[in-house]
Structure formats: C-alpha cells, structure tokens
Amino acid sequence: MLFRRRAASAFVRKLLYFALICGLLWLLWLGLRGVMSTGEGDQALEALNKFYTMEQAGNFGGSWETFHSQMKKRFEKSTYVQQRAHVFMQDMGTDTFTFELSEPQAEYDIRTEQSGDELGKAYRITVTQHYKTRFGAFDIVQPCYVTQEGEEWRVLWIYEDKE
C-alpha cells in the first residue's frame, strides 16, 4: 500500500512539473512573439477598424478626421459627409452595414495617385462591406491603406488614373 502512494505521488509530481514547463514555454513564446512583432500591423488594423466603425454608425465627419492629409486634400469634409450619407443612406436605402477586415500586409513606397508623393511603409488591408439594401444584398470589397503620419495612423485609398 505504501508503494502505491509513492508511485501515485511521483506520477502527480511529474505531471505537475510537465504542466509547469509547458506553461513557462507558452509564456516564453507569447513574450517572444510580442517582442519580435512591432505591433504596427495591429495599430493599422485598429485605425481602420475605428474608421469603418464610425462609417457604420453614420459618423462620416468622424471618419473623415482619420484620413491621411492627402485624402483630406482630395475631399473637403462637408462634401465627403454629404456624399457618403447620400450614396449609402439615401440612394441605396440602407442605414448601416457590417464589415470584415483582412490581415494587414506591409507595403512600401505606395502612392495615392500615380503622380503623388511616395508614402513609405503602409499596411494594405482589404475591407469587405456587407449591405442589405432595397436593391438586394451585396458586398463592396476595397483595398485600403493605413500609414503613420506623425504620431497618428491614417487611412488612405489608392486612386489609379481612369482609362
């Protein structure tokens, strides 16, 4: 009987050591993953999520504020707010939408327009917006870019010349 207790307690002790080692390895892996990644992709994703969450709520003025300065030059705030509200709410007959964001992909030296300035490092994130409108259900898929301007992460759309 004494032999069984010692064998059982030795087994439990080994099991606890194994669990402890696995836990420490897991924490080490999480720590190394955090140190190895810059976190920029997550910050870019968070900025774009903020933009589309405001758009989803109809706060087009707030979403305009998250634009990169090159986008703000392209759209005056009042024009942007009026056109977005008109197209999505009045023309399509929808109050809101749902959206999905892809994983961020780092890209370098992008331009918003072919003749524009290079922006350096940016993150490309594909946005899929799901609408239920009076014309039926449909999706809009758009590649978006997020880059750092000063201390802030800013949203960009790329415009190619029309043919």
Side-chain angles (χ1 to χ4, degrees), residues 97-102 126-130 139-142:
F97 58 90
T98 58
F99 66 93
E100 297 172 36
L101 304 176
S102 71
T126 302
V127 179
T128 305
Q129 295 171 272
H130 308 284
D139 296 337
I140 294 177
V141 179
Q142 180 180 21

Side-chain angles (χ1 to χ4, degrees), residues 34-50:
V35 169
M36 298 301 280
S37 72
T38 61
E40 288 183 343
D42 292 338
Q43 292 174 337
L45 199 59
E46 184 179 319
L48 195 59
N49 185 59
K50 178 181 175 184

Side-chain angles (χ1 to χ4, degrees), residues 30-71:
L30 287 176
L32 287 176
R33 192 179 72 165
V35 169
M36 298 301 280
S37 72
T38 61
E40 288 183 343
D42 292 338
Q43 292 174 337
L45 199 59
E46 184 179 319
L48 195 59
N49 185 59
K50 178 181 175 184
F51 176 87
Y52 278 100
T53 299
M54 284 189 268
E55 293 264 306
Q56 189 178 45
N59 182 2
F60 302 117
S63 62
W64 183 89
E65 292 294 333
T66 68
F67 272 148
H68 189 275
S69 60
Q70 289 186 18
M71 292 295 294

Side-chain angles (χ1 to χ4, degrees), residues 78-93:
S78 61
T79 303
Y80 179 80
V81 169
Q82 289 174 347
Q83 288 180 346
R84 292 293 273 197
H86 182 79
V87 168
F88 291 108
M89 294 180 168
Q90 293 172 2
D91 289 348
M92 291 180 8

Side-chain angles (χ1 to χ4, degrees), residues 95-141:
D95 294 284
T96 190
F97 58 90
T98 58
F99 66 93
E100 297 172 36
L101 304 176
S102 71
E103 289 296 316
Q105 302 293 319
E107 292 190 13
Y108 297 88
D109 301 326
I110 64 161
R111 301 170 192 261
T112 55
E113 298 174 348
Q114 288 181 347
S115 61
D117 295 333
E118 288 184 355
L119 296 172
K121 186 177 183 180
Y123 288 90
R124 179 186 174 138
I125 303 168
T126 302
V127 179
T128 305
Q129 295 171 272
H130 308 284
Y131 289 92
K132 293 180 182 174
T133 74
R134 65 174 150 229
F135 302 109
F138 61 92
D139 296 337
I140 294 177
V141 179

